[in-house]
Short mmCIF file of all heavy atoms in Angstrom, two decimals:
data_model
loop_
_atom_site.label_atom_id
_atom_site.label_comp_id
_atom_site.label_asym_id
_atom_site.label_seq_id
_atom_site.Cartn_x
_atom_site.Cartn_y
_atom_site.Cartn_z
N MET A 24 0.82 -1.19 -0.01
CA MET A 24 0.01 -0.01 0.00
C MET A 24 0.87 1.26 -0.01
O MET A 24 0.58 2.20 -0.72
CB MET A 24 -0.93 -0.05 1.22
CG MET A 24 -1.83 1.14 1.35
SD MET A 24 -3.07 1.11 0.05
CE MET A 24 -4.05 2.46 0.51
N LYS A 25 1.93 1.26 0.81
CA LYS A 25 2.80 2.43 0.89
C LYS A 25 3.49 2.68 -0.45
O LYS A 25 3.66 3.84 -0.86
CB LYS A 25 3.81 2.25 2.02
CG LYS A 25 4.65 3.48 2.23
CD LYS A 25 5.60 3.26 3.41
CE LYS A 25 6.42 4.52 3.65
NZ LYS A 25 7.32 4.38 4.76
N THR A 26 3.87 1.61 -1.13
CA THR A 26 4.52 1.75 -2.43
C THR A 26 3.58 2.38 -3.44
O THR A 26 4.01 3.19 -4.26
CB THR A 26 4.97 0.35 -2.93
OG1 THR A 26 5.80 -0.23 -1.94
CG2 THR A 26 5.74 0.46 -4.21
N GLN A 27 2.32 2.03 -3.40
CA GLN A 27 1.35 2.59 -4.32
C GLN A 27 1.16 4.09 -4.07
O GLN A 27 1.02 4.85 -5.02
CB GLN A 27 0.02 1.86 -4.18
CG GLN A 27 0.07 0.43 -4.68
CD GLN A 27 -1.19 -0.32 -4.39
OE1 GLN A 27 -1.97 0.07 -3.51
NE2 GLN A 27 -1.42 -1.41 -5.11
N ILE A 28 1.17 4.50 -2.80
CA ILE A 28 1.03 5.91 -2.50
C ILE A 28 2.23 6.68 -2.99
O ILE A 28 2.10 7.76 -3.57
CB ILE A 28 0.83 6.09 -0.97
CG1 ILE A 28 -0.52 5.50 -0.53
CG2 ILE A 28 0.93 7.57 -0.59
CD1 ILE A 28 -0.72 5.43 0.94
N VAL A 29 3.42 6.12 -2.79
CA VAL A 29 4.64 6.77 -3.28
C VAL A 29 4.64 6.88 -4.80
O VAL A 29 4.96 7.91 -5.36
CB VAL A 29 5.89 6.02 -2.78
CG1 VAL A 29 7.16 6.55 -3.42
CG2 VAL A 29 5.99 6.12 -1.27
N ALA A 30 4.21 5.82 -5.48
CA ALA A 30 4.16 5.83 -6.93
C ALA A 30 3.14 6.84 -7.43
O ALA A 30 3.41 7.59 -8.38
CB ALA A 30 3.82 4.44 -7.46
N ALA A 31 1.99 6.92 -6.80
CA ALA A 31 0.96 7.89 -7.22
C ALA A 31 1.45 9.31 -7.00
O ALA A 31 1.23 10.19 -7.86
CB ALA A 31 -0.33 7.63 -6.43
N THR A 32 2.13 9.57 -5.91
CA THR A 32 2.67 10.89 -5.65
C THR A 32 3.75 11.24 -6.68
O THR A 32 3.79 12.38 -7.16
CB THR A 32 3.25 10.97 -4.23
OG1 THR A 32 2.24 10.59 -3.30
CG2 THR A 32 3.77 12.33 -3.90
N ALA A 33 4.58 10.30 -7.03
CA ALA A 33 5.63 10.53 -8.00
C ALA A 33 5.06 10.84 -9.38
O ALA A 33 5.50 11.75 -10.07
CB ALA A 33 6.54 9.31 -8.08
N ILE A 34 4.05 10.12 -9.77
CA ILE A 34 3.42 10.34 -11.06
C ILE A 34 2.73 11.69 -11.06
O ILE A 34 2.80 12.45 -12.06
CB ILE A 34 2.45 9.20 -11.41
CG1 ILE A 34 3.26 7.93 -11.69
CG2 ILE A 34 1.57 9.55 -12.58
CD1 ILE A 34 2.43 6.69 -11.84
N ALA A 35 2.09 12.06 -9.98
CA ALA A 35 1.43 13.37 -9.89
C ALA A 35 2.46 14.49 -10.03
O ALA A 35 2.22 15.49 -10.72
CB ALA A 35 0.66 13.50 -8.59
N GLY A 36 3.59 14.34 -9.40
CA GLY A 36 4.66 15.33 -9.51
C GLY A 36 5.17 15.45 -10.94
O GLY A 36 5.42 16.55 -11.42
N ALA A 37 5.34 14.34 -11.59
CA ALA A 37 5.79 14.36 -12.98
C ALA A 37 4.77 15.04 -13.89
O ALA A 37 5.13 15.79 -14.80
CB ALA A 37 6.07 12.94 -13.46
N LEU A 38 3.51 14.80 -13.63
CA LEU A 38 2.47 15.43 -14.44
C LEU A 38 2.43 16.95 -14.22
O LEU A 38 2.22 17.71 -15.15
CB LEU A 38 1.09 14.82 -14.14
CG LEU A 38 0.92 13.38 -14.58
CD1 LEU A 38 -0.43 12.84 -14.10
CD2 LEU A 38 1.06 13.24 -16.07
N ILE A 39 2.65 17.37 -13.00
CA ILE A 39 2.67 18.80 -12.71
C ILE A 39 3.85 19.46 -13.41
O ILE A 39 3.71 20.51 -14.03
CB ILE A 39 2.72 19.05 -11.18
CG1 ILE A 39 1.40 18.66 -10.55
CG2 ILE A 39 3.05 20.51 -10.88
CD1 ILE A 39 1.41 18.60 -9.05
N LEU A 40 5.03 18.83 -13.34
CA LEU A 40 6.20 19.40 -13.96
C LEU A 40 6.17 19.30 -15.49
O LEU A 40 6.92 20.01 -16.17
CB LEU A 40 7.46 18.73 -13.43
CG LEU A 40 7.83 19.08 -11.99
CD1 LEU A 40 9.02 18.23 -11.55
CD2 LEU A 40 8.11 20.54 -11.84
N SER A 41 5.32 18.47 -16.03
CA SER A 41 5.28 18.29 -17.47
C SER A 41 4.74 19.52 -18.19
O SER A 41 4.93 19.66 -19.39
CB SER A 41 4.44 17.08 -17.84
OG SER A 41 3.08 17.33 -17.55
N ALA A 42 4.11 20.43 -17.49
CA ALA A 42 3.56 21.62 -18.13
C ALA A 42 4.57 22.74 -18.25
O ALA A 42 4.25 23.81 -18.75
CB ALA A 42 2.34 22.09 -17.35
N CYS A 43 5.81 22.54 -17.80
CA CYS A 43 6.84 23.59 -17.87
C CYS A 43 7.44 23.63 -19.28
O CYS A 43 7.84 22.62 -19.81
CB CYS A 43 7.95 23.34 -16.86
SG CYS A 43 7.39 23.38 -15.18
N GLY A 44 7.52 24.79 -19.86
CA GLY A 44 8.10 24.96 -21.20
C GLY A 44 7.22 25.83 -22.06
O GLY A 44 6.05 26.04 -21.79
N ALA A 45 7.83 26.34 -23.14
CA ALA A 45 7.10 27.21 -24.05
C ALA A 45 6.51 26.46 -25.24
O ALA A 45 5.45 26.82 -25.74
CB ALA A 45 8.01 28.33 -24.55
N THR A 46 7.20 25.40 -25.68
CA THR A 46 6.73 24.65 -26.85
C THR A 46 6.33 23.25 -26.43
O THR A 46 6.64 22.80 -25.33
CB THR A 46 7.83 24.56 -27.92
OG1 THR A 46 8.90 23.76 -27.40
CG2 THR A 46 8.34 25.93 -28.33
N THR A 47 5.65 22.55 -27.32
CA THR A 47 5.26 21.19 -27.03
C THR A 47 6.47 20.32 -26.78
O THR A 47 6.47 19.46 -25.87
CB THR A 47 4.45 20.61 -28.22
OG1 THR A 47 3.30 21.44 -28.42
CG2 THR A 47 4.01 19.19 -27.96
N GLU A 48 7.55 20.53 -27.55
CA GLU A 48 8.77 19.73 -27.37
C GLU A 48 9.39 19.96 -26.01
O GLU A 48 9.85 19.04 -25.36
CB GLU A 48 9.77 20.03 -28.48
CG GLU A 48 9.36 19.56 -29.85
CD GLU A 48 8.40 20.53 -30.54
OE1 GLU A 48 8.19 21.67 -30.04
OE2 GLU A 48 7.82 20.15 -31.56
N GLN A 49 9.41 21.23 -25.57
CA GLN A 49 9.97 21.55 -24.25
C GLN A 49 9.14 20.94 -23.15
O GLN A 49 9.67 20.44 -22.16
CB GLN A 49 10.08 23.06 -24.08
CG GLN A 49 11.12 23.72 -24.94
CD GLN A 49 11.07 25.23 -24.84
OE1 GLN A 49 10.12 25.83 -24.36
NE2 GLN A 49 12.12 25.87 -25.35
N LYS A 50 7.84 20.98 -23.28
CA LYS A 50 6.96 20.42 -22.28
C LYS A 50 7.14 18.90 -22.20
O LYS A 50 7.15 18.32 -21.10
CB LYS A 50 5.52 20.79 -22.55
CG LYS A 50 5.26 22.26 -22.32
CD LYS A 50 3.83 22.66 -22.62
CE LYS A 50 3.70 24.17 -22.42
NZ LYS A 50 2.34 24.62 -22.52
N ALA A 51 7.24 18.26 -23.34
CA ALA A 51 7.46 16.82 -23.37
C ALA A 51 8.81 16.47 -22.74
O ALA A 51 8.91 15.51 -21.98
CB ALA A 51 7.37 16.29 -24.78
N ALA A 52 9.83 17.23 -23.05
CA ALA A 52 11.17 16.95 -22.51
C ALA A 52 11.20 17.16 -21.00
O ALA A 52 11.76 16.36 -20.25
CB ALA A 52 12.20 17.83 -23.19
N THR A 53 10.59 18.25 -20.54
CA THR A 53 10.54 18.51 -19.09
C THR A 53 9.80 17.40 -18.37
O THR A 53 10.22 16.95 -17.32
CB THR A 53 9.86 19.86 -18.82
OG1 THR A 53 10.54 20.88 -19.53
CG2 THR A 53 9.87 20.20 -17.35
N GLY A 54 8.68 16.97 -18.93
CA GLY A 54 7.92 15.88 -18.32
C GLY A 54 8.68 14.60 -18.29
O GLY A 54 8.65 13.86 -17.31
N ALA A 55 9.41 14.31 -19.36
CA ALA A 55 10.21 13.08 -19.42
C ALA A 55 11.33 13.09 -18.39
O ALA A 55 11.57 12.08 -17.71
CB ALA A 55 10.78 12.88 -20.82
N VAL A 56 12.00 14.22 -18.25
CA VAL A 56 13.08 14.29 -17.25
C VAL A 56 12.54 14.16 -15.85
O VAL A 56 13.06 13.43 -15.03
CB VAL A 56 13.87 15.61 -17.44
CG1 VAL A 56 14.83 15.82 -16.29
CG2 VAL A 56 14.65 15.59 -18.74
N ALA A 57 11.45 14.88 -15.58
CA ALA A 57 10.84 14.81 -14.24
C ALA A 57 10.37 13.38 -13.94
O ALA A 57 10.58 12.88 -12.84
CB ALA A 57 9.70 15.78 -14.12
N GLY A 58 9.77 12.76 -14.93
CA GLY A 58 9.30 11.38 -14.73
C GLY A 58 10.44 10.41 -14.53
O GLY A 58 10.35 9.50 -13.71
N ALA A 59 11.55 10.62 -15.26
CA ALA A 59 12.70 9.73 -15.12
C ALA A 59 13.33 9.86 -13.73
O ALA A 59 13.74 8.86 -13.14
CB ALA A 59 13.73 10.04 -16.19
N VAL A 60 13.39 11.07 -13.22
CA VAL A 60 13.95 11.29 -11.89
C VAL A 60 13.10 10.60 -10.85
O VAL A 60 13.62 9.98 -9.91
CB VAL A 60 14.09 12.79 -11.60
CG1 VAL A 60 14.40 13.06 -10.14
CG2 VAL A 60 15.16 13.41 -12.49
N VAL A 61 11.80 10.69 -11.01
CA VAL A 61 10.90 10.19 -9.98
C VAL A 61 10.68 8.69 -10.11
O VAL A 61 10.70 7.97 -9.11
CB VAL A 61 9.55 10.95 -10.03
CG1 VAL A 61 8.54 10.35 -9.10
CG2 VAL A 61 9.77 12.40 -9.72
N ALA A 62 10.46 8.20 -11.31
CA ALA A 62 10.02 6.80 -11.45
C ALA A 62 10.77 5.99 -12.51
O ALA A 62 10.30 4.95 -12.94
CB ALA A 62 8.54 6.76 -11.77
N GLY A 63 11.90 6.47 -12.97
CA GLY A 63 12.70 5.72 -13.92
C GLY A 63 12.13 5.74 -15.32
O GLY A 63 11.43 6.69 -15.70
N PRO A 64 12.42 4.72 -16.13
CA PRO A 64 11.98 4.73 -17.53
C PRO A 64 10.47 4.80 -17.72
O PRO A 64 10.01 5.48 -18.63
CB PRO A 64 12.53 3.39 -18.07
CG PRO A 64 13.58 2.97 -17.13
CD PRO A 64 13.23 3.56 -15.80
N VAL A 65 9.74 4.15 -16.87
CA VAL A 65 8.27 4.22 -17.00
C VAL A 65 7.79 5.63 -16.69
O VAL A 65 6.94 6.17 -17.39
CB VAL A 65 7.59 3.19 -16.05
CG1 VAL A 65 6.10 3.36 -16.07
CG2 VAL A 65 7.99 1.78 -16.45
N GLY A 66 8.39 6.25 -15.70
CA GLY A 66 8.04 7.63 -15.36
C GLY A 66 8.39 8.58 -16.50
O GLY A 66 7.67 9.55 -16.76
N ALA A 67 9.50 8.31 -17.18
CA ALA A 67 9.90 9.15 -18.32
C ALA A 67 8.87 9.07 -19.43
O ALA A 67 8.51 10.08 -20.03
CB ALA A 67 11.27 8.74 -18.82
N ALA A 68 8.39 7.88 -19.68
CA ALA A 68 7.37 7.71 -20.73
C ALA A 68 6.07 8.41 -20.34
O ALA A 68 5.48 9.12 -21.17
CB ALA A 68 7.11 6.23 -20.98
N VAL A 69 5.65 8.26 -19.11
CA VAL A 69 4.42 8.88 -18.67
C VAL A 69 4.57 10.42 -18.65
O VAL A 69 3.70 11.14 -19.11
CB VAL A 69 4.03 8.37 -17.24
CG1 VAL A 69 2.87 9.19 -16.67
CG2 VAL A 69 3.65 6.92 -17.31
N GLY A 70 5.69 10.90 -18.12
CA GLY A 70 5.91 12.33 -18.07
C GLY A 70 6.02 12.95 -19.45
O GLY A 70 5.49 14.04 -19.71
N GLY A 71 6.69 12.28 -20.37
CA GLY A 71 6.80 12.78 -21.74
C GLY A 71 5.46 12.84 -22.43
O GLY A 71 5.14 13.82 -23.12
N ALA A 72 4.66 11.81 -22.25
CA ALA A 72 3.34 11.79 -22.85
C ALA A 72 2.45 12.91 -22.26
O ALA A 72 1.72 13.58 -22.98
CB ALA A 72 2.68 10.43 -22.65
N ALA A 73 2.55 13.09 -20.94
CA ALA A 73 1.75 14.15 -20.31
C ALA A 73 2.21 15.53 -20.77
O ALA A 73 1.38 16.40 -21.01
CB ALA A 73 1.86 14.04 -18.80
N GLY A 74 3.49 15.72 -20.92
CA GLY A 74 4.01 16.99 -21.43
C GLY A 74 3.54 17.28 -22.85
O GLY A 74 3.17 18.39 -23.19
N ALA A 75 3.57 16.25 -23.69
CA ALA A 75 3.12 16.43 -25.06
C ALA A 75 1.64 16.74 -25.09
O ALA A 75 1.18 17.59 -25.87
CB ALA A 75 3.42 15.16 -25.87
N ALA A 76 0.88 16.08 -24.23
CA ALA A 76 -0.56 16.36 -24.19
C ALA A 76 -0.83 17.77 -23.69
O ALA A 76 -1.69 18.47 -24.23
CB ALA A 76 -1.25 15.35 -23.27
N ALA A 77 -0.07 18.22 -22.70
CA ALA A 77 -0.22 19.59 -22.21
C ALA A 77 0.13 20.60 -23.29
O ALA A 77 -0.51 21.64 -23.43
CB ALA A 77 0.64 19.81 -20.98
N GLY A 78 1.17 20.29 -24.07
CA GLY A 78 1.55 21.19 -25.16
C GLY A 78 0.50 21.26 -26.24
O GLY A 78 0.23 22.35 -26.78
N GLN A 79 -0.12 20.16 -26.55
CA GLN A 79 -1.18 20.15 -27.56
C GLN A 79 -2.41 20.89 -27.07
O GLN A 79 -3.09 21.57 -27.85
CB GLN A 79 -1.55 18.71 -27.93
CG GLN A 79 -0.46 17.98 -28.68
CD GLN A 79 -0.17 18.59 -30.03
OE1 GLN A 79 -1.04 19.08 -30.72
NE2 GLN A 79 1.10 18.56 -30.42
N ALA A 80 -2.69 20.81 -25.79
CA ALA A 80 -3.86 21.48 -25.23
C ALA A 80 -3.68 22.99 -25.23
O ALA A 80 -4.67 23.73 -25.32
CB ALA A 80 -4.13 20.98 -23.82
N ASP A 81 -2.42 23.45 -25.13
CA ASP A 81 -2.16 24.91 -25.09
C ASP A 81 -2.07 25.55 -26.47
O ASP A 81 -2.03 26.77 -26.57
CB ASP A 81 -0.84 25.17 -24.36
CG ASP A 81 -0.93 24.89 -22.88
OD1 ASP A 81 -2.08 24.83 -22.37
OD2 ASP A 81 0.12 24.76 -22.22
N ARG A 82 -2.05 24.76 -27.51
CA ARG A 82 -1.90 25.32 -28.85
C ARG A 82 -3.16 26.07 -29.26
O ARG A 82 -4.28 25.62 -29.03
CB ARG A 82 -1.65 24.19 -29.87
CG ARG A 82 -0.31 23.53 -29.67
CD ARG A 82 -0.14 22.40 -30.61
NE ARG A 82 0.33 22.93 -31.90
CZ ARG A 82 0.61 22.18 -32.93
NH1 ARG A 82 0.44 20.89 -32.86
NH2 ARG A 82 1.04 22.73 -34.03
N PRO A 83 -2.98 27.22 -29.92
CA PRO A 83 -4.16 27.94 -30.41
C PRO A 83 -4.81 27.16 -31.55
O PRO A 83 -4.16 26.49 -32.31
CB PRO A 83 -3.60 29.26 -30.90
CG PRO A 83 -2.14 29.08 -31.06
CD PRO A 83 -1.75 27.89 -30.19
N ARG A 84 -6.09 27.31 -31.67
CA ARG A 84 -6.82 26.59 -32.71
C ARG A 84 -7.06 27.46 -33.92
O ARG A 84 -7.26 28.56 -33.96
CB ARG A 84 -8.13 26.07 -32.16
CG ARG A 84 -7.84 25.07 -31.10
CD ARG A 84 -9.13 24.56 -30.48
NE ARG A 84 -8.78 23.90 -29.26
CZ ARG A 84 -8.97 22.64 -29.01
NH1 ARG A 84 -9.53 21.88 -29.91
NH2 ARG A 84 -8.63 22.11 -27.88
#
């Protein structure tokens, strides 16, 4: 149970940091680095995907 709480907190932190940057590429890179620091390769993938999604959401239509 404690491991799941730590993992959920780590993923939440990576998602929060994934929104840092001016472009979609910067947001994806920031999310990947934050995720890698917190949760290793899986965290990098999740953080990068979240950063890319945040970048796409911020684009003007």
